[in-house]
Amino acid sequence: QISLKESGPTLVRPTQTLTLTCTFSGFSLSTSGVGVNWIRQSPGKALEWLALIYWDDGKRYSPSLRSRLSITKDTSKNQVVLTMTNMDPVDTATYTCAHLYRSGFDHWGQGIMVTVSS
Amino acid sequence: QTVVTQEPSLTVSPGGTVTLTCASSTGAVTSGYYPNWFQQKPGQAPRPLIYTVNNKHSWTPARFSGSLLGGKAALTLSNVQPEDEAEYYCLILNGGTWVFGGGTKLTVL
């Protein structure tokens, strides 16, 4: 069965770069039509889509955060890495990765809470 | 930048039917927007319900259905149960990127 798990720092300082890893099992990111997304949710706020990487290494980013985001994959390790530069307290949120297949976001990780504070 | 609008809150009685909608600032939502719907309860990760307008996941209860209605994506809950009280989010594909709606808080009362 498909599972995803996020890992990374839970506390980052303002202006630092955040690096999060999504480690998954139960599918291959080399299979046609498959993608892995990153989504975040600030406390008490709505979900916000951040980025997506496809099986063919195609990448998509939220227009409002494009300049700060980078998404990469390591197919051999079953991992997807998201980096976000110049972190600010408003970026405090739970960051979650999700599996995409044929335009369905069908499996999600539990998320990792990241706090940005000095 | 695309804005996706949902009803902020709705209330329904147990056993009743309610429809939540999802509108795009860029125009009518069509099947090409591949709307997804999710249910989220406090402290939990979102639970996928519907993808590509009206396709259910294997775990989606039969009382949930998706459609296109009047230029919007719609999620209809029939025979609403108390456990359906939750926040519901739509997600659409627009211009190659995905956008979430602001969510609808559904109260079962």
Side-chain angles (χ1 to χ4, degrees):
Chain A
Q1 72 277 20
I2 291 175
S3 68
L4 306 97
K5 187 173 184 179
E6 306 83 0
S7 59
T10 57
L11 177 65
V12 297
R13 306 301 181 191
T15 75
Q16 285 187 334
T17 294
L18 172 68
T19 300
L20 295 173
T21 301
C22 176
T23 303
F24 56 85
S25 62
F27 68 94
S28 172
L29 201 35
S30 58
T31 300
S32 179
V34 172
V36 172
N37 297 269
W38 282 97
I39 297 123
R40 72 178 180 180
Q41 187 172 36
S42 300
K45 302 293 186 181
L47 297 166
E48 180 181 16
W49 178 82
L50 300 177
L52 161 64
I53 190 163
Y54 286 106
W55 83 98
D56 61 358
D57 209 38
K59 300 170 186 179
R60 305 289 185 270
Y61 298 100
S62 166
S64 63
L65 293 167
R66 181 188 307 275
S67 63
R68 299 174 53 205
L69 294 173
S70 176
I71 190 169
T72 59
K73 64 180 175 72
D74 186 328
T75 304
S76 65
K77 291 183 178 180
N78 282 351
Q79 291 182 332
V80 170
V81 174
L82 179 77
T83 60
M84 179 180 290
T85 61
N86 194 25
M87 293 293 285
D88 183 271
V90 300
D91 297 313
T92 292
T94 296
Y95 289 76
T96 306
C97 56
H99 172 261
L100 173 73
Y101 182 61
R102 293 182 177 176
S103 301
F105 285 56
D106 54 4
H107 292 85
W108 294 52
Q110 280 301 305
I112 181 170
M113 178 65 192
V114 177
T115 300
V116 184
S117 175
S118 55
Chain B
Q1 186 157 339
T2 304
V3 175
V4 178
T5 302
Q6 299 181 242
E7 297 86 0
S9 63
L10 291 170
T11 300
V12 61
S13 300
T17 297
V18 64
T19 297
L20 290 64
T21 66
C22 175
S24 172
S25 62
T26 60
V29 176
T30 65
S31 59
Y33 285 66
Y34 299 98
N36 282 242
W37 289 93
F38 305 89
Q39 177 193 67
Q40 188 179 35
K41 296 182 178 179
Q44 297 183 16
R47 177 192 183 200
L49 294 173
I50 300 287
Y51 65 99
T52 314
V53 181
N54 56 8
N55 293 278
K56 299 180 186 182
H57 298 284
S58 59
W59 52 82
T60 302
R63 63 183 182 275
F64 291 85
S65 63
S67 64
L68 296 175
L69 199 62
K72 302 178 184 180
L75 176 70
T76 299
L77 288 69
S78 305
N79 186 24
V80 172
Q81 302 298 303
E83 60 265 30
D84 296 334
E85 182 163 293
E87 192 86 21
Y88 290 84
Y89 291 96
C90 69
L91 172 68
I92 61 171
L93 178 65
N94 188 261
T97 61
W98 293 89
V99 186
F100 280 99
T104 295
K105 179 167 176 54
L106 182 66
T107 300
V108 181
L109 203 55

